[in-house]
Amino acid sequence: MKKMKLVMVGNGMAGVRTLEELLKVAPDLYEITVFGAEPHPNYNRIMLSPVLAGEQTIDEIILNPVQWYADHGITLHLNKKVVRVDRTRRVVVAEDGTEATYDRLLLATGSNPFVLPVPGKDLEGVIAYRDIADTNYMIETAKTHRHAVVIGGGLLGLEAANGLAQRGMKVTVVHIAPWLLERQLDEVSARLLQRSLEERGLAFRIGAQTQELVSDDKGRVRAVRFKNGTEVLADLVVMAAGVRPNTTLAEQIGLHCNRGIVVSDTMQTVTDPRVYAVGECAAHRGIAYGLVAPLFEQGKVCANHLALFGIGRYTGSQVSTKLKVTGINLFSAGNFMGGEGTEEIVLSDPFGGAYKKLVIQGDKLVGACLYGDTADGSYYFQLIREGACIKGRRNRLMFGEAQPEEASEGATALATA
Amino acid sequence: MSTTIPIVTAGTKTTRATCPYCGTGCGVLIETTAGRITHVQGDPDHPANFGRLCTKGSTLHLTAATSVQEQTRLLTPQRRRARGDTPAPIGWDEALDDAADQLADIIRRHGPQAVGFYGSGQLLTEDYYVLNKLVKGLVGTNNLDTNSRLCMSSAVAGYKATLGVDAPPACYDDFKHAQTLFIVGANTAYAHPILFRRIEDARQANPAMKLIVADPRKTETAEMADLFLPIRPGTDVALFHGMLHVMLAEGLVDMDYIAQHTQGFEALRGLVADFTPASVAAICGIPQADLVQAAHWFGGHTPTLSLYCQGLNQSTRGTDKNATLINLHLATGQIGKPGAGPFSLTGQPNAMGGREVGGMANLLSAHRDLGNAEHRAEVAKLWGVPDVPAQPGKTAVEMFEAAARGEIKALWIACTNPAQSLPDQATVRKALETAELVVVQEAFATTATCAYADLLLPATTWGEKDGTVTNSERRISRVRSAIPAPGQARHDWSIFADLGRRLEQRLPERQAGWRHGMDTLFPYDSPESVWNEHRESTRGRDLDITGLSYEILETQGPQQWPMPQGHAQGRARLYEDGVFPTPDGRARFSAVPYEAVAEPCDEHHPFALNTGRLRDQWHGMSRTGTLGRLFGHVSEPSIDLNPVDMKRLGLGAGDLVRVTSRRGAVVLPAQPSDAVSPMQSFIAMHWGEEYLSGRDAQGRLMTGVNALTVPAFCPKSKQPELKNAAVGIEAVQLPWRLLGVAWMSEDRALAVREAVKPLMGHFSFASCVPFGREPHERGMVGVLFRAAAPEPASDAVLRQLEELLSVDGPDVLRYHDRHQGQHRAMRLRRSDEGLKLEAFLLAGDVSAEAWVRPLLQEELVADAYGRALLSPGAKPPVAVQSKGRQVCTCFNVTEPAIVETLGTCAGSADERLAQLQGQLKCGTNCGSCVPELRKLIKLHPVAMA
């Protein structure tokens, strides 16, 4: 029997994870072709920060080497950006003219960094932080230049800033929101984080609005100028002000997009049931996830449907966050900011450098924000996802899964104190 | 005034004075350096104590520390523009002119009966004398009473009814001559510790001595007894009549003595015939055999000395109780000889002195009576005034009731704290609110009464005062100033004299009929000039001290009265010749029936409430309450209940109960105590609103223990029945608890406590006490605030408490669950040994107190806890090695240490005590804990080999 053809556009973590899931349940169903715009096989993008910080190498973060694709009979087109799809003929066409026909198309085009539309954004020394190329550029720049500014105090921005500082640069993080990681932390924990990063030598301009990037006489960025007229020296400006789902191709081929390629609970695009989308490019129930765990959950559901099992629904994810800066532990999940109808439990321990906030609604844990001691993060995350009733354990919840009677908790606390 | 100018002296000097606490009247040597009190020790030459001091006396210098003074003393005159306002400092002249203007105005408008003066048994004799003269000689009212009314007036009335005058016939030396010691209604081990040391010595020297103790509670004194009679509250008269019945039946009375020296015996004999052992045993709730045994020893194992105090006095039958006990001594001839006599132990340091100058509403100078026209004429002549008022004045309870009704318009309160100590606080508070003018003349700014004052006048106190006091055995001692008065404080006598001179100007009509040439009633320039006038008033009286002078007191030391002119020394014991100061020279028997307490228990108020002293506290604690170390023995307010009642009410140790009487309520923790009989209860008298408060369901502030007590008083002595009230006790549901405990600098701990007090009203129950052990090596004192409420307190109140208790700043661990009312905060301090807990606040569930509090109070290293310090529950996340409850305050020896050491001590009880003292030093300084050590020795017998 002739195999069906599956073409995947994008060679990132969400897409390849979908293939892996598919191969597990239906190894022989499809003839698979993958187009990747980067020259690399699938690597762990979220580990770019440790690479930048010099804690890991590119080789160490490769998830699926080229051989893996070969072993599974996957046709891999690296460095080939898909520019066209004929949905009637079911043909995918790459920049260089390479074509592939499909019975099922999987879009995993990921996201693009958001570049601030300010004067000077195209100067030399101004980059976004997204892939291995950007990482390598930063590593090289750090060898020859002194002053870096990272625009954006989100996860990626802080990791970039930390990495650059590790590589000897004097780094200032510019953040327009009132506190760092405003989507992951509350103000208290963000201040703790900021203090801790300041102790490591990072500087911050919180609430500062970037007016323009100032050029030197050679066309390289020299400084960042703010709306209030002040400047910070910068030979390198890294834009880490968020990402936008990469829907260029999808829009071009007439798929309904709204902050991402709109998909159903089966990860099929609402426009064309032969076309699926997973990962950062997909908008599910209005949300385009930017974290790895939901993407993997999407991949699993998507693979299930590609395998023609027709069961399983993706209904959305509870997300949790960690910052990959060595020595700084933070974790947040769910509705950690609380608000109407919610109750908060807060613990702070300046000696142990820890802060924890749990948000409770009714008898359920709905959010957690942990700083310093994240050992119980997975416990809380599980309670949040399961919607478990915490009525009987509310007063001990803050002290973790282990019974406080056990000496180990005290010992753990001591280790961090 | 010279006293307002501080005199800075260089070098160290020692000043002889007396202890300001109980009526024992111990001599103290006050050591001062550069005008500051640095140390105190017992005066080895003083015949009351021979160098010994109790826990309270031996820490007097700590209560006079600069840090304590600065935070607690009233240092300038102050005036409140309106009630409830913060008072503002004013000058002395302005204050006294204002006071005199207002008093004169009230006197003119409403007559002198509209003015009431309320003083104290802690005033010196000179203070008392001037006050008495001011009120009775100038103002023209007898509305002068003092807190001695709550203390000794039944003893006064009892002595006068039987022996003719108010004179304790025995002396301390009699302890060692007695064969039988009958202690009734007195917890000498707590209330008169130094006398108890002498009793212990006497028993040791004479093992044949029998100690009988009659008391509703099994006190530490009772624990030491050979025979303990746990009589029901208020049944003393029945007990005494029953003992006399037995002694009569068994021929133990001295018919010759009765015939020669007494009258009225037949009536008494007829009366006691009905008091058969069986009926008395039933009334008193004691075994008949024990009653008989007590009578046998009293009448047959002589000489017999009785010691008694508030258990007899604070009673609606107080005079009868005193008199019927004296009956026993008269009937057996146990009086007027070594080791015998009815010996009333005075509660206050100078209750005796006050009685001597007649500083009460029904007394006149030198044991004269207001009711006696001749006596009034004598006093008028001595003072050079035409007359002294005949109408008896209002006594303490009556005075405040009259003020509450609006009859008394001005209250002048000196050296006492009626808003703490008088019974039926609801009425007392109403009186203070209703009076047009309230003047409080005080050393301490911290008393509950101060809050009601329109004018606050700063007075001197211990270490500063100059004059004389008389102790229980009629011994007069000189009290000398060791340091100058702080701030603008003045001596009480001089304030009274100054007020008197100003009133003379405003009431010129009073000068009509004055002795020719006299231009003031208050011509005094020194305490000695006052005392000399007082001395003259005693001439020819039973307490004649015309043979005594300040110079003799200086050179020959303290002297007992009487000491008439020509005598080289005073008289140790009275009535040795069997002649009594009555018209016919005979003592009178008192044939009075037994009558029950004023407020018997009923179904709504089934428990009898008793009040009394703690070992290490004094009265309203304005002085002892400044020291954390004096809270080591009993650290917080509680009501003691029999364990059987605790169980029946479903109470665990420390559970909160609401105690309700017909007059008020108080909420406080219950503690099980074997000392308390079933259906009885005990709250220490010290716990006033300053330490124990909260707001009831109607929003009224709870005013401490005396919210509960009865104002009913003895018709003869007018002393209220503070020892018995009927109360209901129920567990209260106040699920939200709060406990704040903090070490803080001694320079601010007491000020913080004052600042915390107003917050007590936010809760349904609140108490606030210091703790610690001065002198602390880092100069720290602890503050403990405990509260409970039906609902969590607001975040604002929590924040205020945290700020006050210094549970703030960057080094604070915090847990906060507002919706559950759970809040925990811990401030840690880095020390050489590691992290130590410096302050914490637990709210909601405070059961973690079990291990968190020892961590803080015992200053244990807390490194092992980390943020588990915030974890809930009574079980510590890491075991805490607590040192346990302190027994010996002097050497900080705890119960577990004593019990452990006792395991290695063999031999008799005395031998084991000696070994214990040798190894741990406990009970070797002041000895106040020796009774408790003996109890522990009994509880932990020698381990079997």
Side-chain angles (χ1 to χ4, degrees), chain A residues 202-396:
Chain A
L202 296 188
F204 290 90
R205 298 290 291 255
I206 303 294
Q209 270 184 284
T210 305
Q211 170 98 354
E212 67 167 310
L213 309 182
V214 185
S215 168
D216 66 6
D217 48 13
K218 297 187 192 90
R220 188 182 179 90
V221 69
R222 176 184 62 78
V224 175
R225 183 175 297 154
F226 301 106
K227 282 239 163 87
N228 66 7
T230 58
E231 287 185 8
V232 173
L233 285 183
D235 322 301
L236 173 67
V237 173
V238 179
M239 297 273 194
V243 294
R244 299 287 181 270
N246 181 2
T247 56
T248 315
L249 181 64
E251 285 177 54
Q252 184 200 318
I253 64 176
L255 298 177
H256 176 51
C257 294
N258 182 12
R259 292 184 204 163
I261 306 165
V262 179
V263 294
S264 68
D265 287 0
T266 57
M267 305 315 292
Q268 285 163 296
T269 60
V270 292
T271 317
D272 183 345
R274 287 179 186 274
V275 183
Y276 291 73
V278 292
E280 289 182 294
C281 65
H284 173 263
R285 298 189 184 182
I287 302 171
Y289 293 92
L291 297 164
V292 73
L295 311 190
F296 287 175
E297 289 172 26
Q298 290 176 354
K300 194 159 189 172
V301 172
C302 184
N304 184 286
H305 286 279
L306 286 172
L308 306 179
F309 291 146
I311 51 167
R313 288 281 183 283
Y314 176 72
T315 56
S317 291
Q318 290 285 357
V319 296
S320 69
T321 308
K322 287 196 171 196
L323 180 73
K324 288 164 302 301
V325 172
T326 304
I328 291 183
N329 298 310
L330 63 84
F331 171 92
S332 74
N335 173 20
F336 63 88
M337 286 301 290
E340 188 91 353
T342 64
E343 300 173 0
E344 291 176 9
I345 311 178
V346 175
L347 177 148
S348 59
D349 170 10
F351 279 84
Y355 168 84
K356 301 182 177 191
K357 178 161 90 178
L358 301 179
V359 179
I360 286 164
Q361 194 156 23
D363 290 326
K364 290 175 182 170
L365 184 65
V366 296
C369 174
L370 311 179
Y371 181 84
D373 174 7
T374 55
D376 294 313
S378 54
Y379 168 57
Y380 297 136
F381 193 43
Q382 189 189 342
L383 290 178
I384 292 168
R385 275 189 314 198
E386 289 172 355
C389 175
I390 50 97
K391 200 173 180 181
R393 49 185 153 170
R394 175 166 179 156
N395 289 338
R396 294 194 173 272

Side-chain angles (χ1 to χ4, degrees), chain B residues 419-420 424-426 429 448 452 656-661 663-669 683 687-708 730 732 734 757-767 786-790:
Chain B
Q420 194 276 341
D424 186 14
Q425 279 295 311
R429 303 303 175 103
Y452 292 90
L656 287 176
V657 292
R658 178 177 290 109
V659 185
T660 313
S661 79
R663 293 151 299 279
V666 57
V667 175
L668 78 176
I683 303 178
W687 305 123
E689 179 201 308
E690 298 93 334
Y691 295 87
L692 171 65
S693 188
R695 216 172 273 281
D696 68 13
Q698 286 74 43
R700 291 169 304 210
L701 207 61
M702 289 188 282
T703 51
V705 56
N706 284 314
L708 302 169
E730 54 174 355
V732 289
L734 296 171
K757 275 186 197 172
L759 293 177
M760 292 167 93
H762 287 285
F763 305 94
S764 303
F765 151 78
S767 71
R786 189 186 294 281

Side-chain angles (χ1 to χ4, degrees), chain B residues 661-680:
Chain B
S661 79
R662 289 179 174 84
R663 293 151 299 279
V666 57
V667 175
L668 78 176
Q671 295 294 348
S673 167
D674 290 321
V676 177
S677 295
M679 299 317 291
Q680 296 186 23

Side-chain angles (χ1 to χ4, degrees), chain A residues 8 10-12 16 19 32-42 64-70 73-80 98:
Chain A
M8 183 167 85
N11 188 23
V16 178
L19 295 186
I32 302 171
T33 304
V34 175
F35 287 87
E38 284 189 70
H40 310 284
N42 179 37
N64 305 81
V66 175
Q67 189 58 43
W68 176 84
Y69 297 84
I74 296 169
T75 308
L76 177 63
H77 298 294
L78 287 176
N79 232 348
K80 289 185 183 176
T98 308

Side-chain angles (χ1 to χ4, degrees), chain B residues 46 88 224 248 264 271 283 394 412 440 472 559 654 735 824:
Chain B
H46 196 288
M224 299 295 112
L248 274 166
L271 181 75
I283 293 170
K394 297 260 191 302
W412 191 292
V440 175
S472 293
Q559 301 295 326
R824 295 187 278 281

Side-chain angles (χ1 to χ4, degrees), chain A residues 195 342-354 356 360 372-373 394-399 404-414 416-417, chain B residues 809-820 822 824 826-830 835 845 863-878:
Chain A
R195 198 171 67 189
T342 64
E343 300 173 0
E344 291 176 9
I345 311 178
V346 175
L347 177 148
S348 59
D349 170 10
F351 279 84
K356 301 182 177 191
I360 286 164
D373 174 7
R394 175 166 179 156
N395 289 338
R396 294 194 173 272
L397 199 58
M398 188 58 92
F399 303 92
E405 279 80 11
E406 291 171 10
S408 63
E409 187 185 339
T412 311
L414 173 62
T416 54
Chain B
D811 291 342
V812 176
L813 275 68
R814 243 173 237 294
Y815 174 91
H816 189 63
D817 181 349
R818 193 167 65 82
H819 287 81
Q820 296 280 302
Q822 301 293 330
R824 295 187 278 281
M826 313 266 164
R827 184 163 66 83
L828 291 163
R829 168 176 70 85
R830 291 174 176 87
L835 291 174
D845 169 17
D863 285 13
Y865 296 87
R867 75 192 62 100
L869 268 178
L870 297 169
S871 54
K875 195 165 176 195
V878 179

Side-chain angles (χ1 to χ4, degrees), chain B residues 16-18 466-469 476-480 527 550 553-554 558:
Chain B
R16 277 201 154 82
T18 59
D466 187 7
T468 58
V469 292
I476 298 170
S477 296
R478 269 286 276 134
V479 173
R480 299 166 185 84
Y550 262 36
L553 289 173
E554 296 287 349

Side-chain angles (χ1 to χ4, degrees), chain B residues 243-253 269 277:
Chain B
M243 286 169 69
L244 186 55
H245 179 106
V246 174
M247 290 193 282
L248 274 166
E250 306 201 7
L252 292 169
V253 294
R269 187 206 290 266

